[in-house]
Amino acid sequence: MGRSIALIVCLAVAFLIAWAQERTPPPAATNAPANAFSAARAMADVEIIAKVPHPIGSAANAAVRDHLVARMSALGLQPQVQRTQVLRQDGQWIAGGTVENVIGVLPGLDRTLPAVAVMAHYDSVPGSPGAADDAAGTAAALEIARALKAKGQPARDVILLITDGEESGLLGAQAFFDQHPLAPRVSFLLNMEARGGGGRAQMFQTGADNAGTIELFRKSAPAPLASSLTVFLYEHMPNDTDFSVSKAKGVPGLNFAFIGSQFDYHAATSTSANLDKGSLQHIGEQVLAATDAAAYAATLPAKGPNLVYANTFGGHLLAYPAAFGWIAVAASALLLTLAMLRARRAQALSLLDTLKGMGAGLFVLTFAAAVFRLARFATGAEFGFLEQHVLLAQAGRWEVALALLGVGALLLAAAAAGRGRTRMAAAVLALIVGAACSAFGHVDVAGLVLGVVAAVLALLCFGRPTGVAGAWAGVLASGLLIAIALQVAAPTTAFLAAWPLALATLSAALTGLGAKRNLPVLAVLTIAGILGLSWLLAFGHGIFQGLDQPELLAVITWLAAWTLWPLAQPAEDQKGARMAALAVMLLGVVAVGVVRLDPPWTERHPQVTHIAYHLDRENGRAHRFSDAPGLPDWTRGVLRVDGGTVEKTKLPGLRRSAVWAAKADPVAIPPGGVEFTRQPDGGYRLHVAAPGARTLALRLDTTAKLEGAAINGHPIKPPAGGSVRIGWEAQTDGLTLTFRAPSPGAIEVGYSATFDQWPAEAKPLPARPADLMAFGTSGATVVGGARRFTW
């Protein structure tokens, strides 16, 4: 009974600490000290910038540009607008357009020293006011400049770089670093982003060779949130921010973002009212502190091998060279050895129990992964950002469901090991969970494999009862092997295993591997469990927010088992442990059922809808179409208002996949079109004109070899057979592709031009109910078509 109470206390306190650590700081008021960051002061700019959606090339974005120029002028930054065309190519994807960056400079005492830059972007995506992404960053940059100026003249210039066109492919940052004369002076850069509307700001990316940068950040940042694991993972993800451009140019720096309340990301609900003011305060404080440290220093941070770093407790950031990770691993090995020797002398440890403990720990990993995977399928939400909105609208209860399932899986494994005689039941349960992953319209190989592996481990480990000391020793031994492997293969990530392992092995050594049940032993185990679990929950929360892959939370469950195991494993004669574990899992199942069956849509979290008008320039046909998942009654009614049948349709110029569409009454097609001509020099020119359109998109398919290809005069790498996709924003004169072809060939062109207005002649869109919201280019007119040209 004592261990059960200790376990309950441990879980309750750890979750409470983890919750408290994720809270954002209170926003500083407008009367905060002049050299401090104030979210209340910054909100005045957020409310202006995020008044309406303002994508690149729109009149609203020009109004934001003018506001930024006025604000920088008032701060004495002598702003300039960099208006230029730019192009970025990433393989078969090409983005380009006309950007208008707003750049100001806070002069330093020595104008010849390398400069520090503070960067954010001011454009939003279509359909979203962008209060978080990135009005918050832009407003924070202005407030940081004001605070620095109030402190006194810095040692070096501080450049305020507010880019345009980030949402269209990092265009503004590319234009600045490729073309602007100030770019070579930037030697340290801080960028602010957001992927949601709340949460604490995390420093999630650095430049290369970050030793000096991390030291500056560690010493300056108040209550930082950062880890080298996040940097490692982000580097292996397809995501990009403006910081990607500066990093590619070799500029050191720090990249910050908050990612809570992801429902609001790129949504109409990303308003100044919904923005978490504490998130703005936290990101502003972090960036101001780091900017201050760099701007007033005699020298900028030196480059050096990447450090290992992560938060401990109380806002402390621990950092050390990667090789020092072996100290933690060696200490864990020594402590585990001492613990096992103590248990061996007390005749509480056997080799068989240790081996079974290793298997039991791996059962936690594989079984929890299968359970989490099944839970994700059982929600009924498809995969994809918009499809995931039904989960983001109820993120709190979805996270609670996963927490219950994870705790239940850990308790079940510990109970099966301690009580024994459970292998058939545990194996069958694992197989059922794994097989159930394939009950949602497709065969899920990953779920089947996880279920089979967990079942095999159950058969091997859950026969005769296993002693606490042996089982815990086995769990820790498997953890030691993983820590060694990570230290060899990816040392900047190894701390995630090495730190909780060091805590767990210290606890094991102090308690002789936890076999005794007296008060001092329970106290040590409880304290270690609270520290280990609360620390790991921060990473679990980050995984939950950042990745729609809940099975990865099985790693956190397994790591938590390293410190929780001696509290979770019952004695052989303790009844009710398995039923308690199943009861916790059942609560998780009920929570998943609530997530699936109780619609979360409200005025605060409305369901996504999209309606646009498509005109086929080549044949004059018209359709109303929806590019959002699901068809609420309102959307279906709007689609068929002209009498058409709602069905999946491939529309010319849009992506290859079909969308929900219905035939609509034809309306006047705006002027423009596609021309293909042979040039006097023997080359070819493809020109797409769409006066008044804000964006142009092309899909080119050819098997011919193209040479000397350029888009609006910017050289590109032409497709070596296959497809290339081109997006051009804020266009005024259309899009022109020129190339030479050494031999006869053909090119297929799919094109679309997006106008931000609904056709004046079409029946107007009815008002949406309060629990529905427009998303993206909803309400736009898309003129598209497909042509084939030969030479």
Side-chain angles (χ1 to χ4, degrees), residues 55 89 108 128 149 164 177 191 202 205 241 326 374 453 509 672 680 734 760:
Q89 181 169 6
S128 174
K149 186 174 182 181
D164 188 15
F177 284 100
N191 185 57
Q202 182 164 188
Q205 188 181 21
T241 68
W326 286 111
L374 175 59
V453 173

Side-chain angles (χ1 to χ4, degrees), residues 416-640:
R419 294 277 289 160
R421 298 174 295 276
T422 316
R423 57 184 172 188
M424 284 305 300
V428 170
L429 179 59
L431 289 174
I432 290 173
V433 170
C437 291
S438 297
F440 299 91
H442 68 284
V443 176
D444 182 53
V445 176
L448 290 172
V449 170
L450 288 169
V452 169
V453 173
V456 171
L457 289 168
L459 291 173
L460 292 174
C461 303
F462 299 150
R464 295 175 60 84
T466 305
V468 171
W472 194 17
V475 170
L476 295 179
S478 63
L480 180 60
L481 294 177
I482 289 299
I484 292 171
L486 287 175
Q487 184 63 34
V488 171
T492 57
T493 71
F495 75 89
L496 185 65
W499 294 7
L501 181 66
L503 176 64
T505 52
L506 175 61
S507 172
L510 291 174
T511 61
L513 234 58
K516 295 183 180 180
R517 295 174 176 265
N518 55 45
L519 186 59
V521 167
L522 287 179
V524 170
L525 296 178
T526 303
I527 293 171
I530 290 172
L531 292 175
L533 180 58
S534 62
W535 185 78
L536 286 167
L537 286 174
F539 290 93
H541 184 61
I543 291 172
F544 172 79
Q545 287 184 320
L547 298 168
D548 186 20
Q549 295 177 293
E551 56 269 31
L552 295 178
L553 293 172
V555 175
I556 303 301
T557 307
W558 180 45
L559 294 174
W562 298 359
T563 51
L564 294 178
W565 194 273
L567 295 177
Q569 180 173 325
E572 181 181 349
D573 59 351
Q574 182 179 335
K575 297 181 179 180
R578 286 173 292 201
M579 293 305 298
L582 290 173
V584 173
M585 292 197 70
L586 182 59
L587 286 175
V589 171
V590 171
V592 172
V594 172
V595 168
R596 181 183 180 107
L597 299 175
D598 184 24
W601 311 122
T602 63
E603 187 173 355
R604 173 61 183 89
H605 294 106
Q607 186 177 5
V608 165
T609 61
H610 176 273
I611 291 288
Y613 217 91
H614 183 273
L615 302 171
D616 188 335
R617 185 178 295 280
E618 305 306 323
N619 58 33
R621 296 192 187 101
H623 289 81
R624 293 169 179 243
F625 74 94
S626 174
D627 201 14
L631 276 182
D633 291 341
W634 180 88
T635 303
R636 188 178 292 274
V638 174
L639 288 177
R640 61 189 182 196

Side-chain angles (χ1 to χ4, degrees), residues 647-676:
E647 56 189 355
K648 284 285 188 176
T649 307
K650 292 184 179 180
L651 299 177
L654 294 182
R655 62 174 186 258
R656 293 182 183 275
S657 57
V659 295
W660 289 110
K663 291 182 179 179
D665 293 338
V667 297
I669 297 177
V674 182
E675 294 179 345
F676 184 75

